[in-house]
Amino acid sequence: MPLFPASVVIREVGLRDGLQSIETILPTPQKIEWIADAYAAGQREIEVGSFVPARLLPQLADTAELVAYAKTLPGLVVSVLVPNLKGAERAIESQADVLLVPLSASRAHSLANLRKTPDEVVAEVARIRAARDAAGSKTLIEGGIGTAFGCTIQGAVEPREVLRCMQALLDAGADRVSLADTVGYANPAAVRDLFEKARRIAGDRLWCGHFHDTRGLALANVYAALGTGIARFDATLAGIGGCPHAPGASGNASSEDLAFMLADMGIETGIDIERLLALRAKVAQWLVNETLHGTLWLAGLPKTFPARSIRTLTL
Amino acid sequence: MPLFPASVVIREVGLRDGLQSIETILPTPQKIEWIADAYAAGQREIEVGSFVPARLLPQLADTAELVAYAKTLPGLVVSVLVPNLKGAERAIESQADVLLVPLSASRAHSLANLRKTPDEVVAEVARIRAARDAAGSKTLIEGGIGTAFGCTIQGAVEPREVLRCMQALLDAGADRVSLADTVGYANPAAVRDLFEKARRIAGDRLWCGHFHDTRGLALANVYAALGTGIARFDATLAGIGGCPHAPGASGNASSEDLAFMLADMGIETGIDIERLLALRAKVAQWLVNETLHGTLWLAGLPKTFPARSIRTLTL
């Protein structure tokens, strides 16, 4: 029998990875309503935005306001993405619980997307760690290694290089590291292989899996990562998103489909799926001009849900 | 490391499970072109139709003609579905390589779909075996156990009952047995659990997995079954299909997405994916009024394909 985690956290990244990739700009009150409803549906980790210059991503310019609101919700872990020290200083000031620094293991993608080499990002993480410690802040630093399974610009990304970047991030002071299939190139065998190797390097500091459904494999990849003990996954409501610097990539793992898969497997997520589907319907109205993804909203929950638990199956 | 089969067969069931579930009636010459192109793309097992009364499924009335054509292609394993002894006699006469007798482990689904109880289907398989042996035929008898993971009519289907039906089919003379998630209720943990138990009963006679993508889990379920040693999966080009007697069910595993996942994992399928995508484009033109599925046709193959092989990954 495979051993799966008894419970899994789905980190909602739709407000960041989702909204930064689409045309529609959601007004702040709608974003706050989204966060409130996600919280009411049981989601306890939300990446609410990015601390990047507003001229680059105007749709995320209200991130500080969203952190302030999200911090009022008891027990909610509030994440933000930051590309550099300046963003990290704003994140620390906002008292976000987690700041995620993206690093692209693909040098070509890193230069195109972040205008830095992977090692320059590592050096920035060391500066962020120093700033965090100097401020006496409790904000955790997560190094998010993207294009970990390949890159639309460079092509192959060697696992060896991904793991080297991971070790460097930890050495530079990242509290946690995560692996992201930024452009939808992963397959479940590659996921299993890389997450097993990453576990040997990072231990419990290996934190999160981030998969895109570009070629329909997001949930298969989650299942493969689950088997290596990963218990935290990024996902976006209605699967919105993709990387604006990775042509052809589209669609994160869908939060509601992932929540269903996990719950149906008998894994606790704390999420009320009916409520999450209601939120999806609401957000779909706000994003009426966007292409949305996912299957559960259309097919509905099975008649057997949630009575069956794999743990109780016996012959 | 998980052990996967070195090679996997994708049985194309689009001409049967696909075409019986949609409105468009494909003319025989187009079906023959589909079979020829699938063969040229490397597919070596095709379910070409059903031997059922033409008044019930007029779109499959040309099955005998399709078997005759398919039998001219060297090395192609030609399957047909038969609901009863009469259909089996036609299959044997046609010299099909495999005749698949569907049995629904859900009693309610069985009565609605086949107008027989599961045990009446088992008794029919015994009669089919006797007829096959009396004819000195080499046609193999496959018992396909549907609604193995639940049913839209009845709800839960106990694994115990699925396994009882499997044993009964083998006792009645089925050469092989398969498990089908007819209505898209399976999850990868349930798949792993049931296929492991089925293996203990049927050994190498456990033949094939048949998954629907109704809730986005078809490929995750294939991956779970792979881990139990299953090396043969049903799929349909463009994911067409579903069960006409199971309201809400729609979409088989897509042949092209499945072929991609397996090949990208380093598992041999014999399929030329570019050719399969070209066939998909052709069939999509024929089925222009139908809802098609799948993701690879839209996203395209990764830049890394097929250079990466998981088998060669080392740290």
Short mmCIF file of all heavy atoms in Angstrom, two decimals, chain A residues 103-110 118 144-149 151 154 156-158 161-165:
data_model
loop_
_atom_site.label_atom_id
_atom_site.label_comp_id
_atom_site.label_asym_id
_atom_site.label_seq_id
_atom_site.Cartn_x
_atom_site.Cartn_y
_atom_site.Cartn_z
N LEU A 103 12.71 31.28 -8.09
CA LEU A 103 14.00 31.08 -8.76
C LEU A 103 13.73 30.15 -9.93
O LEU A 103 13.05 29.13 -9.77
CB LEU A 103 15.01 30.46 -7.79
CG LEU A 103 16.39 30.09 -8.35
CD1 LEU A 103 17.45 30.17 -7.25
CD2 LEU A 103 16.42 28.69 -8.96
N SER A 104 14.23 30.50 -11.10
CA SER A 104 14.04 29.61 -12.25
C SER A 104 15.30 28.77 -12.44
O SER A 104 16.39 29.32 -12.64
CB SER A 104 13.80 30.43 -13.52
OG SER A 104 12.56 30.10 -14.08
N ALA A 105 15.13 27.45 -12.36
CA ALA A 105 16.30 26.57 -12.54
C ALA A 105 16.80 26.62 -13.98
O ALA A 105 17.95 26.30 -14.26
CB ALA A 105 15.94 25.15 -12.14
N SER A 106 15.94 27.02 -14.89
CA SER A 106 16.35 27.25 -16.27
C SER A 106 17.00 28.62 -16.35
O SER A 106 16.36 29.65 -16.11
CB SER A 106 15.14 27.20 -17.20
OG SER A 106 15.41 27.95 -18.38
N ARG A 107 18.28 28.65 -16.72
CA ARG A 107 18.99 29.92 -16.80
C ARG A 107 18.34 30.86 -17.82
O ARG A 107 18.17 32.06 -17.57
CB ARG A 107 20.44 29.63 -17.20
CG ARG A 107 21.35 30.84 -17.16
CD ARG A 107 22.78 30.44 -17.57
NE ARG A 107 23.61 31.62 -17.73
CZ ARG A 107 24.31 32.17 -16.74
NH1 ARG A 107 24.29 31.63 -15.55
NH2 ARG A 107 25.01 33.26 -16.96
N ALA A 108 17.91 30.28 -18.94
CA ALA A 108 17.29 31.10 -20.00
C ALA A 108 15.98 31.71 -19.50
O ALA A 108 15.70 32.89 -19.73
CB ALA A 108 17.06 30.26 -21.24
N HIS A 109 15.19 30.89 -18.83
CA HIS A 109 13.91 31.38 -18.29
C HIS A 109 14.15 32.41 -17.20
O HIS A 109 13.44 33.41 -17.10
CB HIS A 109 13.10 30.19 -17.75
CG HIS A 109 11.71 30.53 -17.30
ND1 HIS A 109 11.42 30.91 -16.02
CD2 HIS A 109 10.53 30.56 -17.98
CE1 HIS A 109 10.11 31.15 -15.91
NE2 HIS A 109 9.55 30.95 -17.08
N SER A 110 15.18 32.16 -16.38
CA SER A 110 15.50 33.07 -15.29
C SER A 110 15.86 34.45 -15.85
O SER A 110 15.38 35.48 -15.36
CB SER A 110 16.67 32.51 -14.48
OG SER A 110 16.93 33.30 -13.34
N PRO A 118 20.13 32.24 -11.91
CA PRO A 118 19.71 31.55 -10.68
C PRO A 118 20.61 31.90 -9.49
O PRO A 118 20.11 32.12 -8.38
CB PRO A 118 19.84 30.07 -11.07
CG PRO A 118 19.60 30.05 -12.55
CD PRO A 118 20.22 31.32 -13.06
N GLY A 144 11.03 29.19 -4.15
CA GLY A 144 10.21 28.43 -5.10
C GLY A 144 10.97 28.19 -6.39
O GLY A 144 11.18 29.13 -7.16
N ILE A 145 11.36 26.95 -6.60
CA ILE A 145 12.18 26.64 -7.78
C ILE A 145 11.29 26.30 -8.96
O ILE A 145 10.65 25.24 -9.00
CB ILE A 145 13.15 25.49 -7.47
CG1 ILE A 145 14.00 25.84 -6.24
CG2 ILE A 145 14.03 25.20 -8.69
CD1 ILE A 145 14.91 24.73 -5.80
N GLY A 146 11.24 27.22 -9.92
CA GLY A 146 10.39 27.03 -11.09
C GLY A 146 11.13 26.38 -12.25
O GLY A 146 12.34 26.15 -12.18
N THR A 147 10.40 26.09 -13.30
CA THR A 147 10.89 25.35 -14.49
C THR A 147 11.71 24.13 -14.04
O THR A 147 12.71 23.77 -14.66
CB THR A 147 11.74 26.24 -15.44
OG1 THR A 147 12.90 26.73 -14.75
CG2 THR A 147 10.94 27.39 -16.00
N ALA A 148 11.26 23.49 -12.98
CA ALA A 148 12.02 22.38 -12.39
C ALA A 148 11.96 21.12 -13.25
O ALA A 148 12.75 20.20 -13.04
CB ALA A 148 11.49 22.08 -10.98
N PHE A 149 11.03 21.10 -14.21
CA PHE A 149 10.88 19.91 -15.06
C PHE A 149 11.10 20.22 -16.53
O PHE A 149 10.75 19.41 -17.39
CB PHE A 149 9.51 19.28 -14.82
CG PHE A 149 9.32 18.79 -13.42
CD1 PHE A 149 8.81 19.61 -12.43
CD2 PHE A 149 9.71 17.50 -13.07
CE1 PHE A 149 8.66 19.17 -11.13
CE2 PHE A 149 9.56 17.05 -11.77
CZ PHE A 149 9.05 17.88 -10.80
N CYS A 151 11.67 23.68 -19.59
CA CYS A 151 11.43 25.10 -19.86
C CYS A 151 11.12 25.28 -21.34
O CYS A 151 11.75 24.68 -22.21
CB CYS A 151 12.71 25.86 -19.48
SG CYS A 151 12.83 27.51 -20.14
N GLN A 154 14.46 27.13 -22.89
CA GLN A 154 15.72 26.39 -22.87
C GLN A 154 15.55 24.91 -23.22
O GLN A 154 16.50 24.25 -23.66
CB GLN A 154 16.33 26.54 -21.47
CG GLN A 154 17.55 25.71 -21.17
CD GLN A 154 18.08 26.02 -19.77
OE1 GLN A 154 18.19 27.18 -19.37
NE2 GLN A 154 18.40 25.00 -19.00
N ALA A 156 15.34 21.24 -21.94
CA ALA A 156 15.61 20.42 -20.76
C ALA A 156 16.23 21.23 -19.64
O ALA A 156 17.01 22.15 -19.87
CB ALA A 156 16.53 19.27 -21.13
N VAL A 157 15.86 20.92 -18.42
CA VAL A 157 16.50 21.45 -17.22
C VAL A 157 16.95 20.23 -16.41
O VAL A 157 16.13 19.40 -16.03
CB VAL A 157 15.53 22.32 -16.40
CG1 VAL A 157 16.17 22.75 -15.09
CG2 VAL A 157 15.07 23.53 -17.21
N GLU A 158 18.23 20.12 -16.19
CA GLU A 158 18.75 18.92 -15.54
C GLU A 158 18.36 18.87 -14.06
O GLU A 158 18.52 19.86 -13.35
CB GLU A 158 20.28 18.89 -15.65
CG GLU A 158 20.79 18.67 -17.06
CD GLU A 158 20.23 17.40 -17.69
OE1 GLU A 158 20.17 16.37 -16.97
OE2 GLU A 158 19.82 17.44 -18.86
N GLU A 161 20.82 20.31 -11.75
CA GLU A 161 20.85 21.77 -11.58
C GLU A 161 19.73 22.23 -10.65
O GLU A 161 19.92 23.14 -9.84
CB GLU A 161 20.74 22.44 -12.96
CG GLU A 161 20.57 23.95 -12.95
CD GLU A 161 21.77 24.71 -12.38
OE1 GLU A 161 22.79 24.09 -12.02
OE2 GLU A 161 21.67 25.95 -12.26
N VAL A 162 18.56 21.59 -10.76
CA VAL A 162 17.45 21.93 -9.86
C VAL A 162 17.87 21.68 -8.41
O VAL A 162 17.65 22.52 -7.52
CB VAL A 162 16.20 21.08 -10.20
CG1 VAL A 162 15.08 21.35 -9.20
CG2 VAL A 162 15.73 21.37 -11.62
N LEU A 163 18.52 20.56 -8.20
CA LEU A 163 18.91 20.19 -6.83
C LEU A 163 20.05 21.07 -6.32
O LEU A 163 20.12 21.40 -5.14
CB LEU A 163 19.27 18.71 -6.78
CG LEU A 163 18.10 17.78 -7.16
CD1 LEU A 163 18.59 16.35 -7.35
CD2 LEU A 163 16.99 17.83 -6.12
N ARG A 164 20.91 21.47 -7.23
CA ARG A 164 21.98 22.40 -6.84
C ARG A 164 21.38 23.73 -6.38
O ARG A 164 21.77 24.29 -5.35
CB ARG A 164 22.93 22.64 -8.01
CG ARG A 164 24.17 23.49 -7.66
CD ARG A 164 24.96 23.93 -8.88
NE ARG A 164 24.29 24.97 -9.66
CZ ARG A 164 24.25 26.28 -9.34
NH1 ARG A 164 24.83 26.71 -8.24
NH2 ARG A 164 23.61 27.14 -10.12
N CYS A 165 20.41 24.23 -7.15
CA CYS A 165 19.74 25.48 -6.77
C CYS A 165 19.04 25.32 -5.41
O CYS A 165 19.03 26.24 -4.59
CB CYS A 165 18.71 25.88 -7.82
SG CYS A 165 19.43 26.40 -9.39
#
